[in-house]
Every structure is written in C-alpha cells, then in structure tokens.
Amino acid sequence: MRMFSLLFCMLAAAPGFAQDPYPAKPVKILVPYGPGGATDIIARIVAHRLTESLGQTFLVENRPGANGNIALEAAAKAAPDGYTLLVGNVSTNAINENAYAGQLKIRPSRDLAGIAKLAEIPHIVVASAGLQANSIAELVAAAKKEPGKINFASVGMGSYPHLDMERFMKAAGIEMTHVPYKGGAGQAIPAMIAGEVQVAFFNMASLLPHVRSGRLKALAAIPAQRLPELPNVPTLAEQGFPGIGTNAWQGMFAPAATPKAIIDRLHGAVMTILTKPDQREALAKQMMSVEVSKSPQEFSDLVRRETQAWGDFLRTANIKLD
C-alpha cells in the first residue's frame, strides 16, 4: 500500500501528468480601452486566430479607465498561469510607468513579461470636418488667433497622442485645450466627428475610413514619407515640424512570473498567425504593419528601452501630469 502511494505521488509530480498542456481552458485578453480603437482591433484579430490554432477560446475583455492603468494593474496582478493576458501599446506599457509613477501600484516593465510585438501603425494629424484649417500652417494660424479655443483629443493624460501634441504645441508656439477620452480612440473619434474636439494625433487604423468618407480630414502624415493611402497629404516634416509624432506599436503581455514555456508557446503561435501572407495583407488594409518580435526577450528589451526614452523626454520637457 505504501509503495502504491509513493508511485502515485511520483506519477502526479511527473511533467505532463499533473496538469494538462497549455491552454487547457479559455484565456482572457485584457484591452485597456473601449471597443473600436487600434489596440482593440489587433487584440480581437489575434484572439480569433489563437482560438482557431490552439483549440481554446481566447476572449477579449475591454477594461478601460485610468488611462489604461486599470487593465495594466489587473494583468500584472493576475495569476501567472497564461490565462490572463494583455494587449497594450507604447502608451500603456512604456509611457504610463513614467507618467503615473506616483499612482501605479505596479511597474509595467518589471511586472509584465513581453510575449510579442504585434504590429506598428502609422499616425496622422487629423481634424474635424468643420475646423477651418486644411493644413498645419492654417491650424497654427487659427490657434494663434484664438489661444485655447481649439480642442485636441487624446486617449488620456500622458498617452502618446497627448505628448505628441504637447511637443507640437511647444514647437509651434501655440496653445490648445486638451480633452482626454478614457475610452480610447473608439470614444474620441466619434467626438471628433461630432465636432466636440477639433484635432488630434491618431492612428490610421482607426481613422482611414472616416478620412475617406469626408467625416474627418488629414492635415499631416507622421512617417518620413507620404502614406500611399493619402498621397496628397504632406508629412509633418514637410510642413516644418520634423521629428514630432509616434508610429506606435501594439504588443501582447503576460504577468511577469508566467512560465517561459507558456510565453514561448504564445509567441510561436502569434508568429505563425501574423506572418501568414493573407493575414499580413488583411492587416495592411487596416493600416497595420505586422512587426512580430523575433523572441519574447527582444520585445521585453524594446519595452524597457522605450520606457527609459519616454521618461527622459518627460523630464527634459518638464511636462507635469495631474
């Protein structure tokens, strides 16, 4: 009897016997914004494909609020078992650590492990159709004529759309009024279409259909070269403001103590999914360039570098966030 008990314990401790292979149950993917923005779009695409390839449901859960910090903290404090993941971006996972150091109960670069960089998205300076400005020069002139009257949107205090606009306003010598939207681009874009806010730095994945329909208008492209989809829209550099603006990345994260085997499995699955030609093409139509990191470590290193760089910028620019 004693030998039977000992044998049972040895088998239970053996790899593959004590637990089922990952994933053995549904997986939750937290998104730090409401539905409709770029982070939500890429999260849902990846969740759908992971469900198909790994045989378990990957379910997106929108957890907006506190400029992404609610989702960040929930993910960092979740059980490190691979069943709670996060899709975040440069704002949530590089900027927030610096901008909200006094408020966050975690450090994203320490308490979240990078799984994979997913995509990069070009940005534009976009305006409401009713704004009486059709170029950056006209925007600057209008803002100088009536300081503070023009409202600019962001996805929250300290987000890169906010900080990019702060950099632009300093360079242009103008003043506009900041209106943050905790629900992300999915909330801010309808507000811009309605005329509640007039201008913003936002990503093309969320904006292109509205620009093409005429509900919004593009004033400048952020990349070094004009965008093929908007060939008549000059870059911000062409209009006298080089080096301003962010072409943001989106990435997947897990709690820091998640086993390496699970992180590696997820990275491999994401790599297989997103690098397929048909998936690259589908994302390109939504203005997302697939940029999967070669390894989880490579992505984690990128996040740490960018966290440091954004911290340096905030300190140098002396931007205070309430």
Side-chain angles (χ1 to χ4, degrees):
M1 183 68 180
R2 183 178 177 184
M3 289 199 55
F4 175 80
S5 299
L6 179 62
L7 179 62
F8 179 81
C9 291
M10 291 174 62
L11 287 172
F17 187 93
Q19 58 184 17
D20 294 328
Y22 176 86
K25 61 181 181 180
V27 178
K28 178 169 57 181
I29 301 178
L30 301 181
V31 171
Y33 307 111
T39 306
D40 180 69
I41 290 170
I42 188 67
R44 290 181 185 279
I45 289 170
V46 171
H48 176 68
R49 296 301 185 187
L50 286 174
T51 297
E52 292 179 338
S53 65
L54 297 184
Q56 282 288 348
T57 300
F58 283 71
L59 180 66
V60 169
E61 180 179 316
N62 297 93
R63 196 82 67 88
N67 305 306
N69 290 339
I70 290 175
L72 274 179
E73 292 192 353
K77 294 176 179 179
D81 56 8
Y83 292 100
T84 300
L85 308 175
L86 172 83
V87 170
N89 56 38
V90 62
S91 278
T92 57
N93 290 79
I95 296 175
N96 281 16
E97 182 164 323
N98 300 288
Y100 300 102
Q103 300 175 35
L104 275 170
K105 298 180 178 65
I106 62 159
R107 281 179 53 198
S109 64
R110 179 195 64 197
D111 299 328
L112 288 166
I115 295 171
K117 180 180 176 183
L118 304 175
E120 289 187 358
I121 308 170
H123 282 54
I124 63 173
V125 181
V126 64
S128 61
L131 180 67
Q132 297 301 305
N134 295 301
S135 68
I136 293 299
E138 291 179 5
L139 171 63
V140 171
K144 286 185 174 180
K145 185 177 180 180
E146 298 182 281
K149 183 176 180 181
I150 296 174
N151 296 329
F152 75 89
S154 83
V155 296
M157 290 286 292
S159 64
Y160 64 86
H162 171 213
L163 298 181
D164 284 344
M165 191 63 80
E166 292 284 354
R167 294 175 68 186
F168 171 68
M169 290 192 297
K170 284 180 180 291
I174 60 175
E175 179 185 343
M176 296 187 288
T177 299
H178 181 208
V179 181
Y181 289 88
K182 67 179 182 179
Q187 183 183 22
I189 290 171
M192 184 172 288
I193 292 171
E196 296 172 16
V197 286
Q198 289 75 47
V199 66
F201 280 76
F202 276 152
N203 68 74
M204 285 290 292
S206 304
L207 294 171
L208 190 58
H210 304 299
V211 171
R212 285 175 168 166
S213 71
R215 287 176 289 186
L216 297 174
K217 54 188 176 184
L219 302 186
I222 302 306
Q225 305 296 326
R226 294 193 183 193
L227 294 165
E229 294 79 6
L230 298 171
N232 297 322
V233 178
T235 67
L236 198 55
E238 285 181 82
Q239 299 183 73
F241 296 93
I244 295 176
T246 302
N247 289 315
W249 49 259
Q250 309 285 333
M252 179 175 280
F253 299 84
T258 301
K260 184 176 183 297
I262 291 176
I263 288 177
D264 288 344
R265 177 161 171 73
L266 286 166
H267 176 272
V270 168
M271 174 75 81
T272 300
I273 290 164
L274 292 184
T275 56
K276 289 181 178 178
D278 61 335
Q279 190 62 72
R280 281 185 177 275
E281 190 174 324
L283 285 168
K285 290 178 180 177
Q286 299 191 62
M287 293 304 301
M288 293 188 188
S289 172
V290 172
E291 300 285 347
V292 181
S293 49
K294 294 179 182 177
S295 69
Q297 186 62 52
E298 181 184 78
F299 181 46
S300 292
D301 290 344
L302 168 69
V303 174
R304 290 191 182 95
R305 288 195 305 271
E306 295 221 350
T307 300
Q308 179 64 50
W310 280 103
D312 292 344
F313 165 70
L314 284 168
R315 287 185 289 272
T316 301
N318 197 30
I319 293 176
K320 303 296 183 183
L321 301 175
D322 297 325

